[in-house]
Amino acid sequence: MDDEAIIRMFRVNGREEQAFRLLVAKYGEKLYWHIRKIVLNHEDSDDVLQNTFVKIWRGLREFRNEAKLFTWMYRVATNEALNFLNEKRKKVYGNSEQISIFLENQLESDFYFNGDMIQRELQKAILQLSERQRLIFNMKYYDNMKYEEMAEILHVAVGTLKATYHAAVKKIETCLKIADTL
Amino acid sequence: MMDNLECQHERKNPFLVPESYFRGLEDQVMDRIKRERGAKSDQWMRVLRPYLNIGAVLLVFIVVYWIVPRFVPVQGEHVLENLEEEYFELDMDFNPTREEIIEYLAQEVDASDFFFDWKRL
């Protein structure tokens, strides 16, 4: 069922739940993996994903088709994940450097991380990026999104996205080279 | 440089999820939404309850002190009406003598009776 049909169904009294279940089935996994790359831990990702869907439920009735539905949902998920990290930073850590140490520790102790040593080093290198660089890198590298889609979600110009991704890749390669020599 | 990164690490997803996580996701999300909606209506009641309580007290006050007296006459008024009727009823056969009048005026009278009579007038 296409997104417009789901939205129409959602606006019919008594059919909201049915429509929303279709939405969760269609996009839940994609949103989960996007969130997971940001917050890393499965339990936190699950929590953020549910918060995301609660917000989507509240906003869906008034959603106007000015942007694609998935673009809007992706943006909600991104904001929820970043807000989650900000809250964590405020509560536990004083600055962004320490949040990356926290995330590294999460990675080391995560039961649901199945990467080999190279994957682990790559994830650690990604954590050395700024939040913005990490977000753009994950969207391009793992989700294989087009720059135009990313521009719509993040409200950033395509040129800026390309430059940020380029800088992120360079930084990761530098980190991996250093890790190789150690 | 970007190709190098791709070749080396093959864009593998190193993260796992618990078994059947995505299969149960719809139910989990709907349960969460229902809990949030329930919590929201409870929240409204918690905010409104003190005002509802004050409103109920005011309503009782208004009923007891404003509305009820308009329909239930005070006992004193009946007595006053009766007294007024008694007071203005003339006995045509009553024709005291001069001695009877003097004897009446010489009686000791309670001051509060005059006050009460004055109020009736």
Side-chain angles (χ1 to χ4, degrees), chain A residues 143-178:
Chain A
D143 298 345
N144 208 21
M145 282 188 138
K146 294 182 185 159
Y147 283 116
E148 289 72 23
E149 279 180 288
M150 289 162 65
E152 217 182 316
I153 290 165
L154 300 174
H155 293 151
V156 174
V158 168
T160 307
L161 290 170
K162 287 181 180 173
T164 307
Y165 181 65
H166 179 84
V169 169
K170 273 193 91 170
K171 196 167 178 182
I172 288 170
E173 287 190 338
T174 307
C175 288
L176 290 175
K177 278 179 192 155
I178 293 170

Side-chain angles (χ1 to χ4, degrees), chain A residues 18-170:
Chain A
Q18 186 185 357
F20 207 75
R21 281 176 178 270
L22 288 172
L23 210 61
V24 173
K26 193 172 178 184
Y27 292 122
E29 194 168 340
K30 260 188 177 173
L31 292 179
Y32 171 85
W33 288 118
H34 171 60
I35 292 165
R36 182 76 186 266
K37 302 256 178 4
I38 298 171
V39 305
L40 296 186
N41 174 271
H42 165 69
E43 280 77 23
D44 292 339
S45 304
D46 179 43
D47 205 28
V48 171
L49 180 67
Q50 301 216 19
N51 289 344
T52 299
F53 275 117
V54 169
K55 287 228 163 118
I56 290 169
W57 170 278
R58 286 184 193 149
L60 193 58
R61 199 169 286 276
E62 277 77 42
F63 175 76
R64 288 176 199 163
N65 292 324
E66 288 157 358
K68 280 191 229 169
L69 178 62
F70 182 65
T71 304
W72 174 64
M73 291 170 66
Y74 206 90
R75 197 184 304 143
V76 173
T78 306
N79 289 338
E80 281 298 307
L82 294 178
N83 286 340
F84 172 83
L85 287 183
N86 281 335
E87 287 301 317
K88 208 91 181 181
R89 181 185 297 127
K90 280 180 206 167
K91 274 184 197 171
V92 183
Y93 297 98
N95 58 50
S96 59
E97 285 174 16
Q98 286 177 316
I99 193 75
S100 66
I101 294 171
F102 165 77
L103 290 171
E104 257 187 62
N105 291 337
Q106 288 259 62
L107 198 64
E108 292 289 348
S109 58
D110 190 3
F111 179 78
Y112 293 109
F113 182 79
N114 191 36
D116 56 18
M117 198 188 70
I118 297 172
Q119 280 293 337
R120 202 176 288 274
E121 290 306 318
L122 174 59
Q123 290 302 320
K124 284 183 183 176
I126 293 170
L127 288 174
Q128 303 313 310
L129 303 173
S130 68
E131 243 168 42
R132 188 187 171 96
Q133 283 176 329
R134 193 151 62 94
L135 187 60
I136 291 167
F137 179 82
N138 282 332
M139 286 167 83
K140 185 73 187 132
Y141 184 75
Y142 285 110
D143 298 345
N144 208 21
M145 282 188 138
K146 294 182 185 159
Y147 283 116
E148 289 72 23
E149 279 180 288
M150 289 162 65
E152 217 182 316
I153 290 165
L154 300 174
H155 293 151
V156 174
V158 168
T160 307
L161 290 170
K162 287 181 180 173
T164 307
Y165 181 65
H166 179 84
V169 169
K170 273 193 91 170

